[in-house]
Amino acid sequence: MKNKTSKILISIFIIFVFSIALLYVFLPKNDYSQTEKRYLTQFPELTFQTVKDGSFEQGFEKFLADQTPFRSFFVSVNSYFELIKGNNGSAGVYLGKNGWLIEKPFDRENSFYKNLKRVNDFSKASDIPVFLMIVPTKGSIYGEYLPVNSLDYSDKEYLNSIASKAPDLTNINVFPLFEKEKNKELLYYKTDHHWTSEGAYIAYKTICNSLNISPAPESVYNKEKVNGFRGTSYSTSCYTLTKPDTMTIMRNKITNGKAQVIIEDGKNPLKYDNMFFEDALETEDKYVVFLNGNHGIERIKTGKTGGKLIIIKDSFAHCLAPFLAENFSEIVMIDLRYYKKPVSEFIKNETASQILFLYGIDTFAKSNDIILK
């Protein structure tokens, strides 16, 4: 009986392995993981040189890992297995209370102040007024939802230090207002690291106050609710049992987001007539509805009176820019992760009235791309 059981188990194992091998061969290979929001490794080039230098073997291992049949399911199972083992945050994201997925903090000190000095030096040499807003993490604002024994967040200390560490620019610190308003509105998505449109609107009013301009009142916007949004915190952690967020899209009741949007990444600029890209709402990556996601240079011409604002930014700017479009005739957004030419030379050719650096604190601290000369 024992021998028969062993044979059955061995047979099941062989069938399983053989089935997985067949699936590897016959299932279509995915280029992009909507769940993880990243491109997947494809079959590596097979040549004498790639075999000799070991790059084929390394690429093949990554290919097998990325193209595993039912990969999302297995990644999710592993995430919950690590959670059961007591490793909450093993993928860099805590599973918090009430469905909050919150990025773990990390040691930012050296890189944060290195980049802060670069921005301050840029401001010191600039003839155009320079403003800086660093967006705190949701873990520092909604700490009551963190799991037990989570690491401490030091966002408040970093943001409070900017005024003394970078005296040659105007710091816009949204942290105190976020602490005050956090229970009135949901300022961050539970499944994404970005702020919500409500959070971005509060930041917009704070920026307007620093720039000495009048913000558009909240009453001028329609609020459209979109269900089923799962963001980067979800895709990183693969806690697939987490409930999705409801996204709010705030659009001016009169213009409905109409503006000329020019994406200048390639030789031939792409032109659109709206700041909101509706097709994205039918995909898993719904945040792309705001200005079509990440681009090196993106220009918004509003047709309104006002100066030109340059925003040097990460993706926190995407749902903020439509608010700022109420106050400027033109907004030029520069993402240094994708624009690799000297930004100082680019700005010389723009007649800007203000320059705003806008970054989430984690991106600001991690970035090696904030090269401004």
Side-chain angles (χ1 to χ4, degrees):
M1 183 68 180
K2 184 177 181 181
N3 188 42
K4 184 177 179 180
T5 302
S6 297
K7 288 181 179 179
I8 292 172
L9 291 174
I10 291 171
S11 298
I12 292 173
F13 177 75
I14 292 172
I15 292 170
F16 174 78
V17 172
F18 185 68
S19 299
I20 291 294
L22 287 176
L23 290 171
Y24 263 115
V25 173
F26 292 108
L27 281 180
K29 305 301 180 287
N30 295 315
D31 295 325
Y32 185 78
S33 170
Q34 288 284 357
T35 303
E36 298 173 75
K37 294 181 175 57
R38 70 178 183 88
Y39 288 95
L40 301 176
T41 304
Q42 302 301 301
F43 193 86
E45 182 182 12
L46 178 57
T47 65
F48 175 78
Q49 182 60 37
T50 59
V51 172
K52 181 181 178 181
D53 63 20
S55 60
F56 175 80
E57 181 181 356
Q58 294 174 0
F60 187 67
E61 288 178 358
K62 292 179 181 178
F63 166 78
L64 290 178
D66 275 7
Q67 300 295 342
T68 299
F70 314 114
R71 183 176 185 277
S72 296
F73 169 76
F74 289 118
V75 171
S76 178
V77 168
N78 181 68
S79 295
Y80 284 103
F81 180 65
E82 290 295 324
L83 189 65
I84 292 169
K85 286 168 41 179
N87 295 330
N88 195 345
S90 61
V93 176
Y94 290 126
L95 178 58
K97 303 167 188 174
N98 294 351
W100 281 83
L101 301 178
I102 302 175
E103 282 72 18
K104 289 176 65 175
F106 61 94
D107 183 8
R108 309 183 182 107
E109 185 165 0
N110 292 332
S111 53
F112 180 89
Y113 288 117
K114 176 186 70 177
N115 284 330
L116 183 60
K117 184 179 185 304
R118 288 174 174 171
V119 176
N120 186 68
D121 290 346
F122 172 85
S123 178
K124 190 174 183 179
S126 175
D127 295 327
I128 305 169
V130 175
F131 300 81
L132 171 68
M133 175 179 279
I134 301 295
V135 185
T137 59
K138 61 183 173 185
S140 67
I141 300 297
Y142 290 103
E144 62 268 30
Y145 296 107
L146 287 165
V148 177
N149 298 324
S150 60
L151 298 175
D152 292 330
Y153 290 77
S154 51
D155 299 39
K156 188 173 184 177
E157 289 75 14
Y158 279 105
L159 299 183
N160 285 341
S161 71
I162 291 175
S164 60
K165 296 281 187 179
D168 296 301
L169 54 79
T170 301
N171 178 43
I172 307 173
N173 190 356
V174 76
F175 194 100
L177 192 55
F178 269 27
E179 279 194 315
K180 180 181 177 181
E181 300 288 332
K182 70 176 186 177
N183 293 321
K184 298 178 183 177
E185 303 269 16
L186 195 65
L187 305 183
Y188 295 82
Y189 294 108
K190 290 185 176 183
T191 67
D192 192 79
H193 71 285
H194 292 109
W195 51 23
T196 59
S197 293
E198 292 86 353
Y201 179 74
I202 291 173
Y204 160 65
K205 292 192 296 182
T206 308
I207 291 169
C208 287
N209 183 58
S210 292
L211 271 60
N212 198 29
I213 55 179
S214 299
E218 193 170 353
S219 59
V220 307
Y221 299 101
N222 280 320
K223 293 187 177 183
E224 176 188 347
K225 300 293 182 181
V226 179
N227 296 321
F229 173 59
R230 289 188 171 103
T232 55
S233 310
Y234 171 87
S235 59
T236 301
S237 65
C238 283
Y239 289 128
T240 53
L241 299 180
T242 307
K243 292 181 179 180
D245 281 298
T246 296
M247 173 185 282
T248 301
I249 300 175
M250 295 173 61
R251 286 186 252 213
N252 185 295
K253 293 176 181 177
I254 298 174
T255 64
N256 202 34
K258 283 195 172 295
Q260 186 180 36
V261 176
I262 308 169
I263 297 172
E264 301 181 2
D265 287 349
K267 293 181 180 179
N268 299 314
L270 302 174
K271 297 182 179 181
Y272 304 91
D273 62 1
N274 204 292
M275 293 181 285
F276 300 93
F277 288 71
E278 297 290 335
D279 290 347
L281 299 177
E282 304 303 320
T283 71
E284 290 191 41
D285 197 4
K286 289 179 172 53
Y287 193 74
V288 177
V289 69
F290 301 109
L291 290 164
N292 200 35
N294 295 311
H295 299 283
I297 300 288
E298 192 162 9
R299 194 180 298 268
I300 306 168
K301 295 184 177 181
T302 67
K304 296 179 179 291
T305 57
K308 180 190 293 186
L309 173 68
I310 291 177
I311 306 178
I312 301 174
K313 57 81 181 181
D314 66 8
S315 53
F316 273 88
H318 297 175
C319 68
L320 174 70
F323 295 123
L324 288 166
E326 304 285 349
N327 301 90
F328 293 90
S329 60
E330 187 172 343
I331 296 174
V332 181
M333 300 200 301
I334 306 173
D335 194 323
L336 298 177
R337 295 170 295 179
Y338 306 96
Y339 184 78
K340 299 302 182 182
K341 298 177 183 178
V343 71
S344 295
E345 292 300 314
F346 177 87
I347 290 173
K348 284 180 182 178
N349 298 319
E350 302 288 333
T351 54
S353 49
Q354 290 101 357
I355 298 172
L356 171 66
F357 284 81
L358 179 72
Y359 280 87
I361 188 170
D362 282 351
T363 307
F364 188 78
K366 288 178 182 176
S367 180
N368 294 315
D369 301 308
I370 303 179
I371 308 299
L372 302 169
K373 294 183 179 180

